[in-house]
Amino acid sequence: MSELEQIEKSIAELSPEELKAFAAWFEALQADMWDRQFEADAKGGRLDKLAEQALTDHRAGRTRPL
């Protein structure tokens, strides 16, 4: 059995309360990973083109308040 299969089996055997706690933990983990990737992309300049396009659209009046 692979490690992933073992993990899946373990998760399937969790009680409803444990599954809820696991789901919350996993969601927080994914959010943290996304935040770190976003920060790395921003520091690496990979979002600069998108930011400049957004500012250009705003200056041209192609945006509206939320």
Side-chain angles (χ1 to χ4, degrees):
M1 181 180 292
S2 73
E3 185 175 351
L4 178 57
E5 289 170 330
Q6 290 173 347
I7 293 168
E8 290 171 344
K9 183 178 183 301
S10 295
I11 292 170
E13 293 172 355
L14 294 174
S15 71
E17 296 81 21
E18 291 171 323
L19 184 58
K20 185 177 178 180
F22 171 77
W25 170 82
F26 191 70
E27 183 179 341
L29 175 68
Q30 287 182 304
D32 183 57
M33 291 171 64
W34 190 89
D35 288 346
R36 285 184 292 185
Q37 183 63 56
F38 191 87
E39 185 175 327
D41 288 346
K43 285 181 180 177
R46 290 181 284 281
L47 303 175
D48 292 354
K49 186 175 178 180
L50 293 172
E52 187 54 44
Q53 182 62 51
L55 290 171
T56 298
D57 288 344
H58 182 69
R59 289 181 193 119
R62 292 188 292 263
T63 61
R64 62 177 189 226
L66 292 175

